[in-house]
Amino acid sequence: MIKVQMNECMKAVAITGERRVEILSMKIPRPKPNEVLINIRACALCTWEQRVFKGEKKTPLPLIGGHEIAGQIVALGEDVDPQQFPVGAAVAPRIIKACQSCSFCRRGVPTQCVQLNTFHLNGPDVYGMGGLAEYICLESSAVWCFNRPLPFDEMALTEPLACVLHSINRAKPLFGDDAVVIGGGIMGQLHLMCLNKMGVRTILSEPDKKRRDFALSRGCNYLIDPSSEDAVEAVKKITGGRGAQAVFNTTAIASVGEEGMRMLENTGRYVAFSSIHPDLPISLNPNWLHSSEVVLTGAVNPSIQSFEQAVNLLDKEWLDLKDLITDTYPVDKAQQAFERAIAGDAYRIVITF
Ligand SMILES: [Zn+2]
Ligand SMILES: [Zn+2]
């Protein structure tokens, strides 16, 4: 059991400039009523934080990012049920806010909560979600306990897995459908793993051979190399000329998204999973949209439902994510961790505390 002195300090990893991180010393937060104090043991570096580190995404600095986290409960605020949230329990939190009282939350779509961007603040002078720190306080409703021991670095992938499950829930594929996943990075691989488990035939379009091979080794059914073949034609060929019922674009490239829409069968669903950089316009024929009855949608953040699904999948050992962790770095090597993450060939880099 970890004993925390509330006046003690903790380490936090802050992005302080372009390609620069510093370890700050901050006061350990104290749990307010209904809050849980979590000792963070692992935080994965998401593309979002990597973009801030590279200077591509502008935010107030210093930024203490980090939202893909796992850790242990160390203290409870008033009114938190110790049976439901036992001190010592291994947990993964859904760190983005769901206020439960805006019209989106009340309609069951917390991914659009109007308070989404009121991040947890580690202190008055620091901006960010706060997961890249040794401790964080969160409302108990945002915290999921695990029943089985799972390494914390793998548990930190609960949040990205939940984002992917939300994306799949948007596309609603049925048993026996065909789905195309564009891009074989970690998010593409997670889509493929989940879709395969659901009895969906999977097609990956990815120019990197290593990533295609990884997908194949994890059960992906068809591979397309878009650098050497026409990806739309290849999908049509695999699907007997029909096209796919679901297409997920996990790349940041606008033109790839446009191509992905042409892979759809009539009535199929296209999910813009990744944000697009640069945000260039794409063209589509309105009459095609009219007559094909396709659904074009996006997926952003994990829903509460998909977070529950992600925890269930990992707790039941239904998915094995350890091969998606390319490397882990102790907090004092955070600078190297960020540099490794942006090198481009990693699935996920995790910082451990
Ligand atoms: Zn993320
Ligand atoms: Zn809300």
Side-chain angles (χ1 to χ4, degrees), residues 46 67-68 159 163 187 348:
C46 180
H67 55 276
E68 301 180 357
E159 198 271 355
C163 289
M187 292 306 190
R348 264 299 184 265

Side-chain angles (χ1 to χ4, degrees), residues 77-128:
E78 270 172 55
D79 303 326
V80 179
D81 179 2
Q83 305 285 337
Q84 199 185 353
F85 298 98
V87 169
V91 294
R94 182 183 179 278
I95 209 165
I96 56 166
K97 184 113 177 165
C99 75
Q100 313 290 358
S101 58
C102 75
S103 69
F104 288 111
C105 283
R106 285 177 172 169
R107 281 189 277 157
V109 277
T111 52
Q112 299 293 329
C113 174
V114 296
Q115 289 190 31
L116 202 66
N117 291 324
T118 54
F119 296 146
H120 171 83
L121 296 173
N122 303 67
D125 305 323
V126 186
Y127 177 79

Side-chain angles (χ1 to χ4, degrees), residues 35-152:
E35 284 188 348
V36 170
L37 176 65
I38 299 168
N39 174 214
I40 297 173
R41 304 292 301 280
C43 178
L45 299 180
C46 180
T47 317
W48 189 85
E49 281 105 23
Q50 293 172 37
R51 286 202 181 104
V52 178
F53 179 73
K54 283 193 277 188
E56 287 172 11
K57 168 105 195 142
K58 300 293 172 204
T59 70
L61 297 179
L63 171 100
I64 299 182
H67 55 276
E68 301 180 357
I69 63 179
Q72 272 177 300
I73 296 177
V74 285
L76 305 178
E78 270 172 55
D79 303 326
V80 179
D81 179 2
Q83 305 285 337
Q84 199 185 353
F85 298 98
V87 169
V91 294
R94 182 183 179 278
I95 209 165
I96 56 166
K97 184 113 177 165
C99 75
Q100 313 290 358
S101 58
C102 75
S103 69
F104 288 111
C105 283
R106 285 177 172 169
R107 281 189 277 157
V109 277
T111 52
Q112 299 293 329
C113 174
V114 296
Q115 289 190 31
L116 202 66
N117 291 324
T118 54
F119 296 146
H120 171 83
L121 296 173
N122 303 67
D125 305 323
V126 186
Y127 177 79
M129 285 179 270
L132 273 169
E134 282 180 288
Y135 293 90
I136 194 167
C137 280
L138 290 165
E139 279 176 28
S140 59
S141 62
V143 175
W144 272 257
C145 296
F146 278 73
N147 295 310
R148 76 163 176 119
L150 182 68
F152 286 112

Side-chain angles (χ1 to χ4, degrees), residues 207-228:
D208 184 271
K209 184 171 185 312
K210 264 205 215 129
R211 291 185 163 183
R212 289 199 306 272
D213 288 347
F214 182 87
L216 193 65
S217 75
R218 302 301 294 260
C220 178
N221 300 108
Y222 289 92
L223 302 172
I224 296 170
D225 175 4
S227 65
S228 70

Side-chain angles (χ1 to χ4, degrees), residues 171 173-174 176-180 201 203 232 235-236 239-247 259-270 288-289 291-296:
L174 300 177
D177 275 355
D178 287 317
V180 179
R201 192 167 69 157
I203 304 164
V232 177
V235 169
K236 290 278 158 76
T239 57
R242 294 168 57 186
Q245 284 78 43
V247 175
E259 194 176 63
M261 291 174 197
R262 297 209 306 275
M263 296 171 180
L264 285 173
E265 183 187 32
N266 285 4
T267 74
R269 288 172 179 253
Y270 170 87
W288 165 73
L289 190 58
S291 58
S292 67
E293 296 188 301
V294 296
V295 176
L296 309 178

